[in-house]
Amino acid sequence: MALSPEHEAQILRYYHAERWRIGTIAVQLGLHRDTVARVLAQAGLPRHGPVQRASAIDPYLPFLHETLAQFPRLTAARLYDMVRARGYPGRPDHFRHLIARHRPRPSAEAYLRLRTLPGEQAQVDWGHFGHLTIGRARRPLMAFVMVLSWSRQIYLRFFLDARMENFLRGHVGAFECWGAVPRIALYDNLKSAVLERCGNAIRFHPTLLALAGHYRFEPRPVAVARGNEKGRVERAIRYVREAFFAGCAFADLDDLNAQAQAWCEGAAGARRCPEDASMTVTEAFAAERERLLALPEAPFPTDELRAVSAGKTPYVRFDLNDYSIPHTHVQRPLTVCADPLRVRILDGEDVIATHARSYDRRQQIECAAHLEALVAHKHAARAHRATDRLTAAVPACQALLAQAAERGEPLGRTTRALTDLLDRYGAGELAVAVDEALARGVPHPNAVRLALERRREAPPPLGVPLPAHLKTRDVTVRAHPLAGYDRLLEDDHDDA
């Protein structure tokens, strides 16, 4: 609203003659303070403000300006210590307020508007969208975003990490969804694209170069700290946050990706194309598709390959979980080949196990056949160990077991019964009893047990050695005849 000359004259009189403040004039005249300040600036008269008092920092300003010109990123705390050592008496909080006025400001930089031809370029980047909790695992939710620079067609897919395999899956998914490939893919300097950079000398990730060679596009990184060069994908990620992900409810990752695909084909494709406002993004993409490169016959392989080593237990560790393998492949190097849905374990070129992939943590994903084979192997091993012990202690047991097998007797039970008899009676007694059972033609542990019990009922006499004093103590003493004493009595009577 334009002010009348009377209002402008009134503002100038109140400010310069009456010394009113800008806020007081605005309140009294019912105007905005910015309107009053604009009138005063257009008048070209000196503004009257509060009297500037000398500050304790004034003697140190030349030193501060020189230091900040040399070290513009030096913190206020460090500057305060430096001027404090030179005699500055102020407090640190007031010093931080003052130094903010004197810190050099970077000059504003102007950017050229970047334009691309249809089918020429796509821009790629990751976006972090928080975390997902799956069981006991907390995994990052990462959005792979690829946008065509001319039509602004968006490809969006969510993953549970930003590893190289998911980076490749994002590319393959975008190319398959569009049915074509752009000539240039523009990247930030992320590790999945650029391993090392020194100026214009760039060492690309070899896997990305293999992907580019397969689809025949050129990978191109932007300059360091120049995010404006890939502003289309940056704005696309912001658009995804505000227009799709905000308030989005989903059951799991598959549900989220299904909603993302529907959104890209629907609401995101219905917006106006910035390059040509007469078309929507979907219409612009249909026109741009003719300029894109054709797809190769086969997609690029994106399976994860990990070298693993199986220990003493029949499991291998992959992505926070343990997957079972046959017990015949423990304690050897193996290879895990995984895609988003399944995990395959290979010994050389042979697939020895296949499991559904789990994104939980500390879980044991098992195949029942693997554990059942291990249990059967352990039982057989125990039977073999018992048989070896029997035949080593009593060689005749081997013949008894052979005849028992011919008669259809269960060898495991027969072996356990003979082992118990060996522990109770010893090898010598068992050998005699086994020979007796074989002689009778009854190769059964019950026949051996009966022979042992009969031998226990009629034990043979045993010689017991005794000490010498016990032998003399038990010597039989024969009584002498007493007729001689009677004759002595008779002789005494005759003398009387």
Side-chain angles (χ1 to χ4, degrees):
M1 181 182 66
L3 293 180
S4 64
E6 291 80 5
H7 276 99
E8 293 183 359
Q10 203 172 9
I11 290 171
L12 295 174
R13 182 173 61 84
Y14 285 153
Y15 185 78
H16 294 286
E18 303 298 338
R19 305 289 181 175
W20 285 11
R21 295 178 180 273
I22 293 177
T24 304
I25 298 173
V27 172
Q28 296 301 322
L29 299 181
L31 300 174
H32 196 278
R33 60 180 297 116
D34 291 345
T35 304
V36 176
R38 176 173 54 82
V39 171
L40 295 175
Q42 290 175 350
L45 298 176
R47 294 179 56 182
H48 295 282
V51 179
Q52 296 291 333
R53 295 181 299 174
S55 175
I57 200 176
D58 291 343
Y60 304 95
L61 287 179
F63 167 75
L64 290 172
H65 290 159
E66 180 182 356
T67 304
L68 286 172
Q70 187 176 2
F71 307 104
R73 298 179 63 85
L74 204 61
T75 63
R78 182 63 190 135
L79 288 170
Y80 176 76
D81 292 339
M82 296 171 70
V83 297
R84 182 74 173 175
R86 289 165 173 78
Y88 174 69
R91 296 177 59 84
D93 52 351
H94 185 58
F95 175 80
R96 283 194 295 270
H97 174 71
L98 295 175
I99 200 63
R101 302 177 181 176
H102 299 278
R103 188 179 292 277
R105 297 289 186 268
S107 58
E109 183 178 0
Y111 298 98
L112 292 173
R113 183 177 178 85
L114 302 177
R115 295 184 179 275
T116 59
L117 297 173
E120 185 71 15
Q121 184 191 93
Q123 298 183 7
V124 183
D125 204 358
W126 285 105
H128 187 268
F129 284 75
H131 292 79
L132 284 184
T133 300
I134 303 176
R136 291 183 291 180
R138 185 171 180 263
R139 296 181 178 268
L141 182 61
M142 305 297 297
F144 175 89
V145 180
M146 180 182 288
V147 57
L148 291 173
S149 297
W150 188 79
S151 66
R152 303 301 203 278
Q153 179 71 22
I154 296 176
Y155 174 80
L156 171 64
R157 184 171 179 83
F158 290 90
F159 296 96
L160 294 179
D161 57 57
R163 295 176 183 173
M164 188 65 193
E165 291 80 12
N166 288 332
F167 193 59
L168 299 176
R169 290 170 185 143
H171 284 78
V172 174
F175 299 155
E176 294 290 337
C177 178
W178 296 339
V181 181
R183 287 174 169 79
I184 298 172
L186 202 63
Y187 303 96
D188 199 352
N189 291 277
L190 68 166
K191 288 298 183 183
S192 298
V194 178
L195 292 180
E196 190 176 3
R197 180 169 189 163
C198 183
N200 293 327
I202 301 171
R203 185 163 68 92
F204 287 98
H205 198 292
T207 309
L208 178 63
L209 292 179
L211 176 74
H214 185 81
Y215 287 100
R216 301 179 297 280
F217 69 89
E218 176 191 353
R220 183 180 297 177
V222 300
V224 178
R226 291 291 179 179
N228 63 292
E229 296 183 8
K230 59 180 187 66
R232 289 172 174 84
V233 70
E234 297 287 353
R235 286 192 295 272
I237 292 176
R238 184 177 62 187
Y239 179 53
V240 169
R241 293 185 190 278
E242 297 173 353
F244 170 71
F245 193 76
C248 178
F250 54 93
D252 51 20
L253 188 64
D254 293 336
D255 182 27
L256 178 61
N257 282 323
Q259 295 184 41
Q261 182 178 358
W263 177 79
C264 290
E265 296 173 354
R271 72 191 194 279
R272 289 294 166 184
C273 176
E275 297 293 337
D276 188 349
S278 64
M279 296 188 296
T280 64
V281 169
T282 302
E283 294 170 349
F285 172 65
E288 185 181 20
R289 182 180 296 179
E290 300 176 357
R291 308 291 182 87
L292 298 173
L293 301 175
L295 286 174
E297 295 181 359
F300 188 80
T302 60
D303 289 346
E304 301 174 57
L305 295 177
R306 295 286 185 275
V308 296
S309 180
K312 295 181 179 179
T313 58
Y315 297 94
V316 295
R317 175 67 57 85
F318 173 71
D319 194 19
L320 306 179
N321 296 294
D322 293 332
Y323 294 86
S324 68
I325 60 172
H327 68 276
T328 55
H329 293 76
V330 297
Q331 296 185 336
R332 69 174 64 181
L334 302 172
T335 303
V336 171
C337 179
D339 58 33
L341 299 178
R342 63 174 183 169
V343 174
R344 293 181 299 155
I345 305 170
L346 291 79
D347 186 1
E349 297 181 354
D350 299 329
V351 178
I352 61 174
T354 302
H355 299 277
R357 184 164 184 174
S358 172
Y359 291 96
D360 202 342
R361 66 180 303 172
R362 297 179 182 174
Q363 298 296 312
Q364 288 187 348
I365 296 89
E366 300 172 340
C367 176
H370 295 163
L371 301 184
E372 292 172 359
L374 177 59
V375 171
H377 174 73
K378 288 295 182 181
H379 288 168
R382 283 196 293 269
H384 286 308
R385 286 196 295 270
T387 302
D388 293 342
R389 180 189 173 196
L390 277 174
T391 56
V394 181
C397 287
Q398 187 171 2
L400 187 142
L401 291 173
Q403 295 182 18
E406 293 177 358
R407 296 179 58 176
E409 299 292 341
L411 293 181
R413 188 169 61 190
T414 302
T415 303
R416 288 193 297 271
L418 293 176
T419 303
D420 293 340
L421 296 176
L422 175 64
D423 295 335
R424 291 176 57 188
Y425 293 96
E429 290 293 322
L430 181 61
V432 175
V434 168
D435 291 340
E436 183 177 342
L438 291 174
R440 294 172 54 195
V442 186
H444 196 277
N446 289 339
V448 178
R449 183 180 296 107
L450 290 174
L452 289 170
E453 291 176 353
R454 285 197 300 270
R455 292 178 60 81
R456 173 175 288 184
E457 292 175 357
L462 300 177
V464 180
L466 296 175
H469 69 281
L470 292 179
K471 292 180 180 180
T472 57
R473 186 185 65 182
D474 295 336
V475 171
T476 303
V477 179
R478 293 182 297 176
H480 295 282
L482 299 179
Y485 292 101
D486 294 337
R487 285 196 300 270
L488 289 175
L489 290 175
E490 292 175 357
D491 290 345
D492 290 338
H493 288 298
D494 292 340
D495 290 341

